[in-house]
Amino acid sequence: MTLRSVSRSLSPSNLSVPLSVAAAAAVRFAAPFEPAGATMLSITAFCIVLWVGNLFSPAYTGVLCIGLIGLAFSLDLALSGFRSPATWLIAFGLVMGEATRRSGLAGWAGRWVIHRVSGDAPSTDAARTYRRLLVSLSAAGLLLVLVIPVGIVRVLVLAPVVLEVGRRFDSRRVRLGLFFGPILITYLGTAGVLTGGSPNIVVLGIFESITGASIAWTEWFVLMFPVMGVGRLLVIVGVVYALYRPTSELQLEPDRAETHAIGGSERRMLAILLAGVGVWVTDVFHGLHPVYGAMLVVVLAFLPVVGVADFEETLGDVDFSILFFVAAVLAIGQGLTQTNVATALAERLLAVVPADASLFVVLAIVFAFTVLLMFVISGLAAASVVTPVVSAFAADAGLPVLPITLTEVTALMMPVFPYQSAVLVVILAYEIVDARELIRVVAAVTLATIVLLVPIQLAILSIAA
């Protein structure tokens, strides 16, 4: 099964194009905005329906979106997304992921974890080994969030490792558990780290363009990682283990890997990644944008003698098409702000919030607003629509922008259906899981997170403000 066949199987029908045209026309003539604002919202509706319908690739729709914005407004606005550091952070992240794969570091890490957990001989207690592997591999998936800033890349790096580990067990339930645990935390742990994935970077880019300020990597980490990183790791492991408990007859084959020693290429790549992390975690001192850390990793990874791969060969294997999607999303956000649509929507949101509401209640409403919006558009598209709205809302209401923005980020990592995230579509490309089973697990994790972790996270943001 290919990723393209999965994508097509998720398409509602070929009615996406007429539906998108109808939605755009309805918004253009019915939206209560000035002509420029109605046009911008019309283009947004047109692209959202195409993204949801999934008839075309998100990147192709992104190119179409950029062209429409250019024709309706200006080329400067249409191409504004390509000037954003957020777009280039994602580009460097894609290259980082491919360099990590080529260096052999991903393969070595998987073998090392297996060896440390279960040794070279089959365990006398296979169920106990399964539990240890589930926790260890999931923790490794969360650590990848710190060093690889693109969720899709982390899934592509980690999936072959966890699938190979799962083959040592004779139970499909256990193989699914070992797949879901690490893969879901390396994706859903995105909210805990600023450089964790595309939604964060899109939100950061729009936040910077609207407020003129930025968010420090360390500040984001302190406010978000304890709950949305470590806390979510515990929730995911708990939910996955509850859904995929092993039977008493579980059998485990021995680890036949020839060596667990780290080689020179793997060692250099690990040191290079740690250098990039060093730039990110010290931004409170130097103030450099996170893109500089990713840039440093790319420069060192391909530097003669020091590097681990050939630059031109590696770039030939990297799919940069997602950048058109990201650039279109950022252009939508900028357009909604410039045409005052975001401000008008913020006023409507402000009318829903009680005048004497506490910051915690406001954050809860923003969270619910974002989660509900994600049922009709994908996470990245939701980020482009919601960020200008909540930023304008915070400014009009005299509320701190940072906690409201981080609440939105928290909500963006509460998916249920595959169309809400390209990462979930990538997960479906692996034949071990079908759409129904993926929805079941992701929905259970999202529900448990909302009940157990979101109140704690909103309380932390309220107190920090």
Side-chain angles (χ1 to χ4, degrees):
M1 178 182 294
T2 64
L3 183 58
R4 180 173 293 180
S5 65
V6 172
S7 178
R8 286 177 178 173
S9 69
L10 294 175
S11 301
S13 69
N14 290 341
L15 294 176
S16 296
V17 173
L19 285 175
S20 63
V21 173
V27 170
R28 176 62 182 84
F29 294 107
F33 300 109
E34 296 294 327
T39 300
M40 189 66 230
L41 201 58
S42 175
I43 294 173
T44 303
F46 176 80
C47 295
I48 285 174
V49 173
L50 287 182
W51 279 323
V52 172
N54 208 26
L55 179 63
F56 307 119
S57 71
Y60 178 82
T61 301
V63 174
L64 184 58
C65 177
I66 291 170
L68 291 173
I69 293 175
L71 291 173
F73 295 93
S74 68
L75 196 59
D76 185 65
L77 175 60
L79 299 178
S80 61
F82 289 106
R83 295 193 297 272
S84 171
T87 304
W88 291 101
L89 179 56
I90 293 173
F92 287 127
L94 293 170
V95 179
M96 285 170 56
E98 181 62 21
T100 302
R101 186 189 67 81
R102 284 175 171 264
S103 71
L105 179 61
W108 169 83
R111 295 192 302 272
W112 183 85
V113 169
I114 298 171
H115 177 65
R116 295 290 295 179
V117 170
S118 59
D120 293 321
S123 171
T124 56
D125 187 350
R128 179 171 179 268
T129 300
Y130 165 59
R131 288 192 293 269
R132 294 179 64 184
L133 280 169
L134 177 61
V135 173
S136 300
L137 289 171
S138 297
L142 181 59
L143 290 177
L144 283 181
V145 180
L146 295 171
V147 295
I148 301 180
V150 181
I152 290 178
V153 175
R154 293 196 299 271
V155 169
L156 294 175
V157 168
L158 191 58
V161 176
V162 297
L163 288 173
E164 184 62 32
V165 174
R167 291 190 183 99
R168 296 179 56 203
F169 293 88
D170 64 352
S171 168
R172 181 177 182 272
R173 288 171 57 85
V174 166
R175 291 195 292 270
L176 282 172
L178 290 175
F179 179 80
F180 275 127
I183 294 299
L184 288 183
I185 186 57
T186 207
Y187 163 50
L188 297 177
T190 292
V193 182
L194 190 156
T195 50
S198 304
N200 299 0
I201 306 305
V202 169
V203 169
L204 176 66
I206 298 175
F207 178 89
E208 290 175 337
S209 67
I210 293 175
T211 66
S214 188
I215 305 174
W217 191 96
T218 47
E219 183 178 23
W220 187 304
F221 184 86
V222 169
L223 291 174
M224 299 289 286
F225 190 77
V227 177
M228 287 297 116
V230 177
R232 198 145 207 205
L233 169 65
L234 298 176
V235 166
I236 288 174
V237 169
V239 169
V240 169
Y241 187 76
L243 294 175
Y244 301 101
R245 294 179 65 89
T247 62
S248 57
E249 296 83 14
L250 183 65
Q251 297 294 320
L252 171 66
E253 296 179 1
D255 176 14
R256 296 187 175 88
E258 295 181 0
T259 177
H260 304 292
I262 186 170
S265 178
E266 295 94 333
R267 196 187 305 275
R268 292 197 304 276
M269 190 66 217
L270 179 60
I272 290 170
L273 288 173
L274 291 176
V277 174
V279 173
W280 292 331
V281 301
T282 56
D283 64 352
V284 67
F285 301 107
H286 53 64
L288 295 176
H289 193 280
V291 74
Y292 285 100
M295 193 183 302
L296 174 65
V297 172
V298 172
V299 169
L300 295 178
F302 301 104
L303 192 66
V305 181
V306 175
V308 297
D310 180 80
F311 184 69
E312 292 184 357
E313 289 182 1
T314 302
L315 257 63
D317 289 336
V318 178
D319 182 6
F320 290 105
S321 62
I322 192 176
L323 299 182
F324 291 101
F325 176 41
V326 174
V329 165
L330 291 173
I332 286 174
Q334 186 71 14
L336 291 175
T337 300
Q338 288 187 6
T339 57
N340 296 319
V341 172
T343 301
L345 292 174
E347 291 174 353
R348 288 165 172 75
L349 176 61
L350 184 61
V352 177
V353 180
D356 57 347
S358 64
L359 181 57
F360 182 90
V361 172
V362 172
L363 297 183
I365 293 174
V366 169
F367 176 85
F369 175 75
T370 307
V371 170
L372 291 174
L373 184 64
M374 284 180 59
F375 278 95
V376 294
I377 59 177
S378 69
L380 280 180
S384 72
V385 174
V386 175
T387 307
V389 173
V390 297
S391 297
F393 163 72
D396 292 345
L399 296 171
V401 181
L402 180 59
I404 291 178
T405 301
L406 293 182
T407 297
E408 174 202 346
V409 170
T410 301
L412 291 173
M413 284 293 107
M414 302 295 159
V416 174
F417 301 105
Y419 71 78
Q420 293 175 298
S421 169
V423 179
L424 295 181
V425 176
V426 170
I427 292 173
L428 278 176
Y430 296 94
E431 295 183 350
I432 190 174
V433 59
D434 58 26
R436 182 177 179 180
E437 198 144 32
L438 178 63
I439 292 171
R440 171 175 172 257
V441 177
V442 173
V445 169
T446 293
L447 180 60
T449 302
I450 292 174
V451 173
L452 300 175
L453 299 182
V454 170
I456 300 173
Q457 183 63 66
L458 298 189
I460 291 173
L461 294 176
S462 300
I463 294 171

